[in-house]
């Protein structure tokens, strides 16, 4: 496996800073060597472990590794041509945005990884809350999984006005979320640049499978 290195992060920083097609073309080989190849290798190395978590995952690198340039048709910032970060994500389909996914992302400042919804709709989140409120076995396993470790944090936008003011704290942190994700953030460049990165991520993703299973169950309950 070809690991990431400091030049991977430097490329992301300067390509975004200069925001120039000419600069990108001049340094295109750097992009290939320090970003495209490591992401491709990481996607391939992680695939067996991810398929054990969910055999329905799409694992081909060309389908799960992000592009560096933005689609300005949908971007809020129409002036920036390139992102300063790249990621890969394992989900059940390339366009299955309502389904949960595992992800890994690097930027010049840190790297993140975890599991969450890309764009869960209201019905899926309602189903998730039903699983929580009924204290389903699926939720019990997910809650125990989250509370038994410190690597991943439950994140997501909260409702401006609490919907469950009487819920205990250990449940309200779940119930008050408009969307939900379990994210780890690291500044450990030694780990990021290590050839053992794939093994580390595979082990971490395996640990939070109960969280993925909970979200997948909520999504599967939604009528389309």
């Amino acid at each position: 496996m070809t690991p990431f290195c400091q030049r991977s992060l430097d490329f992301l920083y300067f390509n975004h800073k200069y925001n120039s097609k000419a600069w990108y073309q001049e340094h295109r080989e750097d992009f290939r060597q320090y970003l495209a190849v490591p992401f491709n290798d990481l996607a391939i190395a992680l695939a067996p472990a991810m398929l054990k978590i969910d055999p329905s995952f799409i694992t081909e690198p060309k389908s799960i590794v992000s592009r560096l340039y933005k689609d300005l048709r949908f971007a809020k910032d129409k002036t920036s041509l390139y992102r300063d970060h790249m990621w890969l994500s394992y989900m059940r389909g390339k366009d299955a945005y309502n389904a949960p996914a595992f992800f890994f992302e690097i930027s010049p400042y840190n790297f993140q990884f975890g599991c969450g919804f890309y764009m869960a709709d209201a019905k899926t989140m309602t189903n998730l809350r039903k699983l929580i409120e009924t204290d389903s076995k699926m939720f019990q396993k997910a809650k125990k999984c989250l509370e038994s470790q410190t690597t991943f944090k439950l994140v997501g936008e909260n409702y401006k006005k609490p919907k469950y003011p009487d819920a205990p704290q250990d449940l309200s942190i779940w119930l008050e979320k408009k969307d939900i994700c379990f994210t780890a953030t690291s500044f450990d460049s030694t780990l990021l640049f290590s050839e053992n990165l794939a093994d580390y991520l595979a082990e971490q993703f395996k640990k939070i499978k109960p969280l993925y299973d909970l979200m997948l169950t909520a999504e599967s309950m939604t009528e389309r």
Side-chain angles (χ1 to χ4, degrees):
M1 173 179 160
T2 304
F4 295 102
C5 64
Q6 184 58 47
R7 294 187 69 171
S8 307
L9 307 185
D10 291 344
F11 181 91
L12 287 172
Y13 177 83
F14 286 108
N15 187 61
H16 179 71
K17 176 181 179 179
Y18 291 126
N19 192 34
S20 163
K21 289 183 179 180
W23 192 92
Y24 171 80
Q25 289 296 335
E26 183 179 349
H27 297 83
R28 192 167 185 171
E29 177 57 26
D30 287 345
F31 170 74
R32 188 199 70 80
Q33 182 175 349
Y34 301 119
L35 285 165
V37 171
F39 262 110
N40 183 85
D41 289 358
L42 179 61
I44 292 172
L46 271 174
M50 303 312 295
L51 289 173
K52 288 182 179 179
I53 292 175
D54 189 338
S56 297
F57 277 148
I58 304 299
T59 59
E60 292 185 8
K62 65 179 181 180
S63 297
I64 68 173
V65 176
S66 71
R67 295 174 177 175
L68 185 61
Y69 59 87
K70 295 180 179 179
D71 187 336
L72 295 182
R73 294 174 301 171
F74 307 106
K76 293 182 180 180
D77 178 8
K78 304 293 185 181
T79 62
S80 182
L81 301 176
Y82 302 97
R83 303 182 179 93
D84 64 352
H85 56 285
M86 281 186 67
W87 68 90
L88 61 78
S89 57
Y90 292 92
M91 60 179 65
R92 287 192 155 197
K94 189 175 180 181
D95 298 318
Y97 295 127
N98 195 61
F102 285 86
F103 68 91
F104 166 78
E105 176 183 295
I106 68 170
S107 78
Y109 316 105
N110 57 44
F111 68 96
Q112 297 184 322
F113 53 97
C115 175
F117 286 116
Y118 178 77
M119 198 180 293
D121 60 22
K123 292 180 179 179
T124 297
M125 291 304 297
T126 295
N127 290 334
L128 180 64
R129 294 186 195 98
K130 288 179 180 178
L131 293 170
I132 296 169
E133 291 182 283
T134 58
D135 198 28
S136 66
K137 289 184 178 180
M138 189 73 68
F139 175 64
Q140 290 177 16
K141 289 181 65 176
K143 185 172 181 289
K144 182 178 180 180
C145 172
L146 180 66
E147 294 174 348
S148 64
Q149 54 79 53
T150 58
T151 303
F152 295 91
K153 306 297 182 184
L154 191 163
V155 299
E157 183 181 1
N158 281 11
Y159 288 104
K160 291 183 179 179
K161 184 177 180 180
K163 288 181 173 287
Y164 300 86
D166 298 325
Q169 176 64 20
D170 63 336
L171 296 184
S172 67
I173 60 172
W174 297 75
L175 293 168
E176 297 293 353
K177 292 283 186 291
K178 288 184 179 180
D179 50 64
I180 198 165
C181 188
F182 305 93
T183 303
T185 301
S186 176
F187 302 90
D188 186 350
S189 59
T190 300
L191 173 59
L192 178 61
F193 302 158
S194 169
E195 293 183 355
N196 297 320
L197 177 63
D199 293 335
Y200 173 80
L201 292 174
E203 183 62 27
Q204 295 301 317
F205 288 157
K206 178 181 177 181
K207 289 179 180 178
I208 59 171
K209 185 179 184 296
L211 301 173
Y212 172 77
D213 290 341
L214 175 68
M215 290 185 286
L216 187 63
T217 299
E219 196 278 334
S220 67
M221 293 165 58
T222 303
E223 295 183 2
R224 303 296 178 193

